[in-house]
Structure formats: C-alpha cells, structure tokens
Amino acid sequence: MKLDDRVIEGLAAMVSGNHKEFPYRKGWEIGKFFNNCGFSFQSDSSSREPWTQKCLAQINLGPSSTADLPSDGLVRVITELLDPVDFDRHNDRIDGSMSYVEDPSLYPERALAAFNK
C-alpha cells in the first residue's frame, strides 16, 4: 500500500520536527535518523522538511511484505519516529534555548495521538 502525498507531507513534518509534538531535528540529525532506519540519504542542500519529504516519497515506493501496510521502509521510519527513547533523549538535552519548541516536554503518547490523527 502506497501512502498518499498528503500523508507523506505530514510524516515529513513529524520527522523533521516541524510538528509541535515531535523533536526538532537539524539537517544532520535527519540524516542520522534515516541512517538509524537503514537508509543512507545525503542532504541535497534543500530545506529540512522538503528534503525529508523527498526521502520519504522514495521510501514509499519500496516493497511491502504486508499488503495492508505501507512499505517496509516506512514501517521502519514510523517505528523509529515513535521510539520513546528518542523523546527521552530530546527532553534530556533541553536547555531553555529551544524557542522552536512550543512545549519543551515532548511525550510519545501525544506524538502517537498526533500521528494517528
């Protein structure tokens, strides 16, 4: 099952951290995120979210071992995206200077609710 472009766009906002319930990721952190998922994307010097969206669109074209689920690669991305350890690491490094985070205490439960929405 391939995901709709709008879904990929929303997922890109979550991966890049442009969604308030998800940790903000700098460009190199997005690359590291994809690397943790088993992909070796190199930044094309475009803005964070559009580059993330291009990567996710490419992953969306991959094979799926289950017809009712998106590509196996996107399943890995979603699993990594909602990893509670990543939220803990993010919350541990907050120093008050992160003005782009509306609420500096991010929780996987709220992120999951936003993802499901």
Side-chain angles (χ1 to χ4, degrees):
M1 171 178 89
K2 302 300 177 216
L3 297 182
D4 183 86
D5 289 342
R6 291 182 320 215
V7 175
I8 294 295
E9 183 179 321
L11 193 55
M14 294 173 187
V15 169
S16 65
N18 284 353
H19 187 289
K20 70 178 183 172
E21 299 295 352
F22 290 84
Y24 179 91
R25 291 183 176 88
K26 296 177 182 177
W28 67 270
E29 291 173 314
I30 296 168
K32 184 176 179 183
F33 173 88
F34 282 125
N35 191 285
N36 291 341
C37 295
F39 301 99
S40 57
F41 293 113
Q42 297 296 320
S43 177
D44 63 3
S45 299
S46 60
S47 296
R48 294 170 26 266
E49 191 172 336
W51 175 66
T52 303
Q53 190 171 344
K54 287 179 201 173
C55 294
L56 292 171
Q58 185 176 342
I59 295 169
N60 193 32
L61 298 175
S64 175
S65 56
T66 306
D68 295 351
L69 294 175
S71 73
D72 295 340
L74 280 179
V75 171
R76 281 194 308 271
V77 166
I78 293 165
T79 300
E80 182 74 17
L81 180 65
L82 296 170
D83 182 357
V85 173
D86 193 44
F87 287 84
D88 289 342
R89 272 188 248 128
H90 173 79
N91 289 334
D92 287 347
R93 70 176 194 224
I94 292 175
D95 63 5
S97 65
M98 300 174 70
S99 60
Y100 46 80
V101 176
E102 195 170 296
D103 178 356
S105 300
L106 297 175
Y107 301 99
E109 299 82 13
R110 292 192 334 220
L112 179 60
F115 176 82
N116 286 329
K117 187 177 178 183

